[in-house]
Amino acid sequence: MKNNYLFTVFACFCLATAGAQQSAKDAMLKKQKEYNDRTMVQRFEKTMVPTAAQRALLRKENEEKRKVILAMIDSSTLVKEKLRAKLRYDLEHDPFSSRLKKFLALYRPVTKPLTIAQNEK
């Protein structure tokens, strides 16, 4: 009888230990999943590196700028076809090339600065 009681207590103790280990494992996996969305620097310096949402917004803005520049390249009648192909390649693979910078400097829409008349202040 005493052995059955001892065996029952031991079984309950083992089940409680297994349950505690499982809950600790679940907590560890949840914490690890939270860290996967952040870079290593963000774990310690949250303000230094933009978040995933901010990076996605920047990527979207850059893609919109790229589409505008591509439209400028395609709509320009002064650019030869050979140069147009090179500019498209630069836009995709080397966005800081000197050739693309020259094109943007020459074909950027000119905005006139506002002047205030002497009597309008």
Side-chain angles (χ1 to χ4, degrees), residues 19-106:
Q21 287 178 350
Q22 186 64 28
S23 65
K25 182 179 178 183
D26 291 340
M28 181 197 67
L29 289 175
K30 182 180 176 185
K31 191 174 185 181
Q32 185 179 14
K33 187 176 180 183
E34 289 174 2
Y35 278 142
N36 286 342
D37 292 339
R38 295 186 281 171
T39 62
M40 181 63 83
V41 176
Q42 282 177 327
R43 293 180 194 173
F44 304 105
E45 287 291 332
K46 295 179 181 174
T47 59
M48 186 181 286
V49 178
T51 62
Q54 291 170 336
R55 288 192 307 267
L57 182 64
L58 287 173
R59 260 186 253 118
K60 185 178 178 183
E61 289 174 0
N62 286 338
E63 188 62 33
E64 289 173 1
K65 287 179 187 177
R66 181 174 281 154
K67 287 179 182 178
V68 168
I69 294 172
L70 187 61
M72 283 175 55
I73 292 170
D74 289 340
S75 65
S76 177
T77 58
L78 302 174
V79 178
K80 297 178 184 175
E81 193 61 39
K82 192 173 183 179
L83 179 61
R84 187 173 288 147
K86 289 180 182 180
L87 288 171
R88 284 187 195 138
Y89 179 83
D90 286 346
L91 185 62
E92 185 67 30
H93 299 288
D94 186 17
F96 301 107
S97 71
S98 61
R99 182 174 34 228
L100 191 59
K101 286 180 184 178
K102 286 179 188 176
F103 172 79
L104 291 175
L106 290 174

